[in-house]
Amino acid sequence: MTNSLGFARHGDKENSPFFEQYLTRLLEERDRVGVTDMIYEIDAIMITVDPGHSIGYIAELALMTPYHYLVTLESESHWTHVLRIDLDSPDLLVREVKDPNIRGIFRSLNEVYPIGRHKPNSRYMGEILRVSDLHGVTACQKEREFRFFNQDDVRRLEMPGNLAITKPSPYTHNIVCYMERPRHELRVYALGVSRVREDVQAAYEAAKDKQKQLGIEGLILPIDHLATRVYSQNREVAILEWLSLSSYYYWGSYDIKDQNSSTNVTKSVHYPQEINSPAKVFTANNTPYFVNHLEKLPSPTETFVRNYGPRLHHIAVAVADGESAGQENIEYVVEQIKAQGHNFLLDVIGSKEEGLKQIFSSASEHSSLIIEYVQRFGDFDGFFARDNVARLTHAAGVEEELKELETQSTDRPVPR
Ligand SMILES: [Fe+2]
């Protein structure tokens, strides 16, 4: 039996007695009833984009990440493109809504937020977790009061019929899906009609050729972590809820005092390497927005959540340790991608001495998601330089302030 409480704790952020008590109770019970050993890696992540955006997004991902275009699943009102590296790392499902007038629960989650509503269908939806016993896991989770879409809902949502899908979390707005698959069998998504679309294939191949030509193809590795931003008061419950839904453990939290924020890390109990199952990170302000005027504190994380809603903020992709053309790989990769017209929010930060270097890209015009590149040196296995996190958070906040101003200057009342 896996012991989810047997991992070393990192970080300096103090949690409430509520958190510590329920962390122990929830993980002990999860291990005891066998849920920990029925749920495995993140098998896929799902992102929806607005009409007309999936080809551009796939080209962007083919250049900036190791993903390959595999196939498109066509259903009545969506194209679901399957992107894959291999079976040791998660797939990426990019769903494009065909009709801009389509309405639904995921769109509603964007529409109540002032910037989020401008790309009403574009959002990170959540993860698919591989399970060994779909019935066993869902029965247990239902007993623990997690809510699931029923089979009719799943059909209407045009999501793969072989998934069990939770309702969006009240804290992160993400969904968690379970898919039964023995470790060495292929991933199968039971959805629509499957074919390779020539227009998608052409855009993918052009971007991949460019990636090869730039000499960055072998330097960019699979996803390292997925970072979700939540309201300050939801930090602890968002972590505990995710741990209850997955087989992840609590690695620890760092207080980023400079930015009035904390970074909270969870990792898979089954896979020590993030490339097999990315770490899930939660970021939250330390204090709610309405005390800022008293404390005179910055608030980029809470501002993001107020503008976009709780949601995924960035996908971090690892860069191979080493050097290319006399530069550290991360510097080389960023320089090549910049030359293709992609912007970054700051220069590469961090150092070999601190253990890692990091950078944020600008938010994608297709998905609103930022790509982080992270290069770790030697055997460093942490997520910080604390100073890096403060500077990354600050840079993303500055960019977002600009977007907010843009939005205000172009905003029209929403027709009723
Ligand atoms: Fe990150």
Side-chain angles (χ1 to χ4, degrees):
M1 185 177 95
T2 305
N3 175 10
S4 301
L5 291 163
F7 296 86
R9 176 80 71 93
H10 299 77
D12 58 4
K13 168 92 178 164
E14 246 186 79
N15 299 308
S16 71
F18 161 86
F19 179 86
E20 295 296 343
Q21 183 198 346
Y22 282 103
L23 176 68
T24 304
R25 289 185 60 188
L26 287 165
L27 293 192
E28 266 174 7
E29 192 251 7
R30 193 186 78 181
D31 292 350
R32 186 176 47 76
V33 301
V35 171
T36 306
D37 289 325
M38 286 195 284
I39 306 178
Y40 293 88
E41 70 271 31
I42 295 178
D43 227 1
I45 62 174
M46 289 172 294
I47 299 168
T48 303
V49 296
D50 280 294
H53 279 274
S54 63
I55 295 182
Y57 194 40
I58 288 167
E60 194 173 286
L61 291 166
L63 176 71
M64 295 180 72
T65 76
Y67 278 95
H68 299 277
Y69 168 59
L70 193 70
V71 75
T72 299
L73 313 174
E74 181 168 11
S75 52
E76 197 183 331
S77 52
H78 293 85
W79 285 289
T80 302
H81 309 290
V82 181
L83 276 61
R84 179 167 295 166
I85 302 169
D86 54 34
L87 288 180
D88 292 326
S89 305
D91 282 354
L92 217 157
L93 305 185
V94 176
R95 284 157 51 88
E96 176 180 322
V97 171
K98 290 181 185 173
D99 175 357
N101 298 313
I102 274 186
R103 311 202 74 80
I105 183 167
F106 297 103
R107 180 178 177 142
S108 308
L109 292 174
N110 282 353
E111 282 186 328
V112 284
Y113 294 95
I115 301 186
R117 76 189 181 101
H118 287 271
K119 292 193 171 84
N121 294 292
S122 293
R123 67 178 295 115
Y124 179 86
M125 299 175 76
E127 302 83 29
I128 300 176
L129 301 177
R130 183 174 74 82
V131 300
S132 56
D133 175 359
L134 186 62
H135 179 75
V137 170
T138 49
C140 186
Q141 298 295 40
K142 282 178 184 168
E143 212 170 284
R144 294 154 147 200
E145 302 193 32
F146 286 105
R147 293 181 178 173
F148 286 79
F149 289 109
N150 65 34
Q151 277 302 312
D152 268 356
D153 296 331
V154 173
R155 213 171 12 250
R156 266 196 297 273
L157 290 167
E158 298 181 17
M159 301 279 279
N162 55 332
L163 302 182
I165 306 173
T166 67
K167 297 277 175 82
S169 155
Y171 314 117
T172 66
H173 288 183
N174 291 338
I175 54 172
V176 168
C177 312
Y178 299 114
M179 180 166 81
E180 187 172 313
R181 178 175 75 85
R183 175 104 169 95
H184 295 291
E185 280 186 17
L186 277 180
R187 294 185 185 119
V188 177
Y189 306 102
L191 176 66
V193 178
S194 137
R195 72 183 165 99
V196 173
R197 252 178 62 174
E198 275 174 28
D199 48 355
V200 181
Q201 181 70 19
Y204 153 71
E205 279 177 12
K208 222 49 177 179
D209 286 348
K210 180 59 78 179
Q211 196 186 44
K212 274 188 206 141
Q213 189 193 324
L214 298 173
I216 57 175
E217 188 200 15
L219 306 181
I220 311 174
L221 305 176
I223 297 176
D224 181 89
H225 63 271
L226 299 163
T228 299
R229 290 188 164 186
V230 297
Y231 280 114
S232 59
Q233 79 274 17
N234 288 339
R235 181 182 79 89
E236 294 185 335
V237 282
I239 300 167
L240 293 174
E241 184 195 43
W242 162 249
L243 296 178
S244 304
L245 284 164
S246 68
S247 52
Y248 274 46
Y249 69 92
Y250 178 58
W251 186 83
S253 301
Y254 279 85
D255 197 352
I256 312 297
K257 286 205 176 68
D258 268 15
Q259 295 297 316
N260 184 22
S261 165
S262 71
T263 299
N264 307 272
V265 180
T266 70
K267 291 195 192 198
S268 169
V269 300
H270 299 298
Y271 300 92
Q273 302 297 326
E274 281 79 20
I275 57 165
N276 301 125
S277 198
K280 280 265 290 178
V281 174
F282 299 85
T283 308
N285 239 58
N286 289 337
T287 52
Y289 70 93
F290 55 83
V291 306
N292 290 345
H293 70 288
L294 300 175
E295 303 294 342
K296 307 283 183 258
L297 292 170
S299 194
T301 306
E302 186 100 337
T303 304
F304 173 88
V305 180
R306 296 181 72 205
N307 283 336
Y308 284 94
R311 58 159 67 190
L312 195 83
H313 177 260
H314 64 264
I315 296 177
V317 174
V319 174
D321 189 9
E323 293 189 357
S324 298
Q327 284 174 296
E328 274 154 1
N329 285 342
I330 188 168
E331 306 271 5
Y332 181 77
V333 164
V334 168
E335 198 178 283
Q336 299 304 319
I337 288 175
K338 263 189 195 166
Q340 300 306 307
H342 290 274
N343 296 325
F344 288 80
L345 299 182
L346 69 174
D347 292 330
V348 174
I349 53 169
S351 65
K352 203 166 186 167
E353 294 66 45
E354 288 164 295
L356 81 171
K357 284 193 166 190
Q358 290 164 286
I359 191 170
F360 272 171
S361 76
S362 290
S364 165
E365 60 169 305
H366 308 295
S367 65
S368 299
L369 293 170
I370 285 171
I371 297 274
E372 173 187 327
Y373 287 118
V374 52
Q375 181 177 348
R376 294 198 176 82
F377 297 92
D379 57 2
F380 183 78
D381 66 349
F383 280 85
F384 308 94
R386 183 190 311 273
D387 185 46
N388 280 10
V389 179
R391 288 166 72 188
L392 291 167
T393 308
H394 175 72
V398 170
E399 160 98 344
E400 203 198 317
E401 271 168 33
L402 292 174
K403 283 221 179 79
E404 201 178 345
L405 287 174
E406 252 169 51
T407 306
Q408 283 165 5
S409 65
T410 58
D411 240 356
R412 311 256 185 287
V414 179
R416 306 240 161 228

